[in-house]
Amino acid sequence: MERTDGPEPTGDPAATGPQGAESLDRPLPEGVRRRVVALVADAFGGLTVPELPAPLRQYARFTPSRRAKFAGNAMAAAVESDPVFRQRIATRLRESHGELAEALDGGTPPAAADPVEVAALAYVLRPAGWVKLVEAAGQEAQRADAERAGEEAERELRRLREELAQARAAARAESERTRAELEAARKEGESLQRKLRGALSDVRRGEAALRKLTAELEAERAAAAAQQATAEGEARRLRARLAEAESALEASRRAAREGRSVADMRVRLLLDTVLESAQGLRRELALPPASMHPADTVEAVEPGRMTPKDIARRALSETDPALLDQLLALPQAHLVVDGYNVTKTGYPTMPLEKQRLRLLGGLAVLAAQTGAEMTCVFDGAELAAPVLLAPPRGVRVLFSKPGVTADELIRQLVRAEPPGRPVVVVSTDREVADGVAKAGARPVASALLLKRLART
């Protein structure tokens, strides 16, 4: 254990034990002191808290090793200055070190016993002559330290000698390696010089060959320039002959046209005269464009086309299912159904899934009976995930996107239809009915569709 700052037992003459007035005139040897602290730390746990000096009570629950580490100085001071505490520790040590304690009390410590152990135990037990035992242990410890220091110095000397021998061997090896590298570098330098001389010779030969090629290139350029001048002269001569030939050809074509077109000119002049006369007559009479046909002047009644508004003017009640049959009998009729508006009107207590299946089943039968196009719209804004649904044959099923209501999707469907197509919207929502009516569709109540489906 290492020493920490704190009070150190000094062997003050005033600190005496019950065995007499013996005291140390010098500090405890370090080895003996560490052993004393260890013995006290081990015996410390056998005492109750009230039996401990006040400064040591806070370490009562520590393990012996932690107690020796953190309370070493305090325990050493208590053993030196507190006879009662020392006597309690001595009692514990007599129990744990019976034979050695009896030998110390008899003044005949075993010759084979560890001097440090003997001195530490004597310091706590304080038998007669304990000071001599402690001083003898100190001298023994100093002698052992000196021997250890000598052995350590001898080992260090041997280590240094070995390191010196290794350093000398390494230096010789490094020197040999350096000489070898120097020799290799010298040989490489000589080889590079030879290669450099060869390269310079090649460069000179290359320069001579380049000068020769340059001269040959200049001669070839001069010959090419002469040939180009000759070719250009020949091209100019050929272009002149070509121009003469083209002039002769154009003259011959012109003469042929002049001889052939005398009769054509006379006919064309007569035709132009007739056309100009007809145009002058049209301007004189101020005749309008011919936008009508003779058959258009005959008075008769044309067949009209029936629209959803014409159906509405008939004497059928708004709740009569026959009204829906008449509307769907119109050519290319399109039925748009506000799904949840119809199901919550007809069967609101059923789960939404069963509501959809019941409505779509009825619409499938109606589509098969009438042949009309049918689209059923459900509000999909609150759906956490897409609905897994197989639409029945003849019925288009749509869910509105997040942020778009079913009412807005219905209005978009109506606006997408061309003007004049019969579109019937089933919804009890007044806002939906008014909106689709403005767009040209025919709104009907959800109860009307439910009555019609109940009849199938």
Side-chain angles (χ1 to χ4, degrees), residues 289-314:
S291 60
M292 297 180 61
H293 297 85
D296 294 333
T297 62
V298 177
E299 295 183 359
V301 178
E302 295 183 358
R305 295 183 178 180
M306 186 175 294
T307 66
K309 294 182 180 179
D310 298 326
I311 296 294
R313 287 194 291 269
R314 292 189 174 186

Side-chain angles (χ1 to χ4, degrees), residues 191-257:
S191 175
L192 291 176
Q193 288 179 356
R194 288 193 298 271
K195 291 180 181 180
L196 178 60
R197 288 193 294 269
L200 291 175
S201 177
D202 293 340
V203 169
R204 285 192 291 269
R205 286 195 298 270
E207 290 176 349
L210 178 60
R211 287 192 295 270
K212 181 179 178 181
L213 291 176
T214 303
E216 292 177 355
L217 179 60
E218 291 297 331
E220 291 291 335
R221 285 178 177 175
Q227 292 177 359
Q228 183 179 3
T230 303
E232 289 177 354
E234 183 66 19
R236 285 193 297 272
R237 185 178 63 80
L238 292 176
R239 282 196 293 270
R241 291 181 62 182
L242 178 61
E244 293 175 359
E246 289 177 349
S247 298
L249 178 61
E250 181 63 27
S252 63
R253 287 177 178 175
R254 186 167 54 252
R257 286 197 301 272

Side-chain angles (χ1 to χ4, degrees), residues 11-359:
D12 187 351
T16 61
Q19 286 78 10
E22 293 182 278
S23 63
L24 294 173
D25 56 357
R26 65 184 66 183
L28 276 175
E30 182 59 25
V32 176
R33 179 187 177 280
R34 286 197 300 268
R35 185 56 186 159
V36 168
V37 171
L39 292 174
V40 174
D42 290 336
F44 195 102
L47 302 179
T48 62
V49 174
E51 292 176 340
L52 298 174
L56 298 181
R57 291 176 181 176
Q58 58 181 324
Y59 305 107
R61 296 182 180 274
F62 282 32
T63 61
S65 59
R66 296 185 69 239
R67 197 179 296 132
K69 180 178 180 181
F70 295 103
N73 290 336
M75 288 189 297
V79 169
E80 178 66 23
S81 60
D82 191 339
V84 176
F85 174 68
R86 184 174 64 250
Q87 187 62 33
R88 290 170 179 169
I89 294 297
T91 302
R92 296 295 176 181
L93 293 180
R94 290 180 186 279
E95 295 175 358
S96 60
H97 297 73
E99 295 182 0
L100 184 57
E102 291 179 359
L104 290 177
D105 291 337
T108 58
D114 184 3
V116 175
E117 183 75 12
V118 172
L121 195 59
Y123 179 78
V124 178
L125 299 180
R126 301 291 173 96
W130 67 272
V131 174
K132 294 180 179 180
L133 293 175
V134 172
E135 291 177 349
Q139 294 173 0
E140 182 66 21
Q142 291 177 355
R143 183 183 61 78
D145 291 340
E147 290 179 355
R148 284 194 299 271
E151 293 175 354
E152 183 67 24
E154 183 64 25
R155 286 194 298 270
E156 182 68 16
L157 180 59
R158 285 196 299 269
R159 186 183 63 81
L160 292 176
R161 286 175 179 174
E162 292 175 357
E163 290 182 356
L164 178 59
Q166 293 175 358
R168 287 176 177 175
R172 285 194 298 270
E174 183 67 21
S175 177
E176 292 296 333
R177 187 182 62 81
T178 303
R179 281 197 296 270
E181 290 179 353
L182 181 61
E183 182 64 21
R186 184 183 62 78
K187 292 180 179 180
E188 185 177 0
E190 293 176 353
S191 175
L192 291 176
Q193 288 179 356
R194 288 193 298 271
K195 291 180 181 180
L196 178 60
R197 288 193 294 269
L200 291 175
S201 177
D202 293 340
V203 169
R204 285 192 291 269
R205 286 195 298 270
E207 290 176 349
L210 178 60
R211 287 192 295 270
K212 181 179 178 181
L213 291 176
T214 303
E216 292 177 355
L217 179 60
E218 291 297 331
E220 291 291 335
R221 285 178 177 175
Q227 292 177 359
Q228 183 179 3
T230 303
E232 289 177 354
E234 183 66 19
R236 285 193 297 272
R237 185 178 63 80
L238 292 176
R239 282 196 293 270
R241 291 181 62 182
L242 178 61
E244 293 175 359
E246 289 177 349
S247 298
L249 178 61
E250 181 63 27
S252 63
R253 287 177 178 175
R254 186 167 54 252
R257 286 197 301 272
E258 290 176 355
R260 185 188 63 184
S261 61
V262 174
D264 295 341
M265 180 182 62
R266 292 176 180 176
V267 175
R268 178 61 181 271
L269 180 60
L270 178 60
L271 180 60
D272 291 343
T273 301
V274 173
L275 292 176
E276 290 178 3
S277 299
Q279 291 175 358
L281 182 61
R282 180 180 293 175
R283 287 193 299 270
E284 183 70 22
L285 297 178
L287 296 176
S291 60
M292 297 180 61
H293 297 85
D296 294 333
T297 62
V298 177
E299 295 183 359
V301 178
E302 295 183 358
R305 295 183 178 180
M306 186 175 294
T307 66
K309 294 182 180 179
D310 298 326
I311 296 294
R313 287 194 291 269
R314 292 189 174 186
L316 293 176
S317 171
E318 289 290 334
T319 60
D320 189 349
L323 175 62
L324 185 60
D325 289 333
Q326 290 185 0
L327 292 172
L328 296 181
L330 294 174
Q332 299 296 323
H334 185 186
L335 180 67
V336 180
V337 181
D338 187 351
Y340 287 140
N341 186 275
V342 175
T343 61
K344 292 181 180 180
T345 301
Y347 21 90
T349 59
M350 297 176 63
L352 290 181
E353 181 180 1
K354 293 186 177 180
Q355 290 183 18
R356 290 193 296 266
L357 294 177
R358 180 172 178 178
L359 174 60

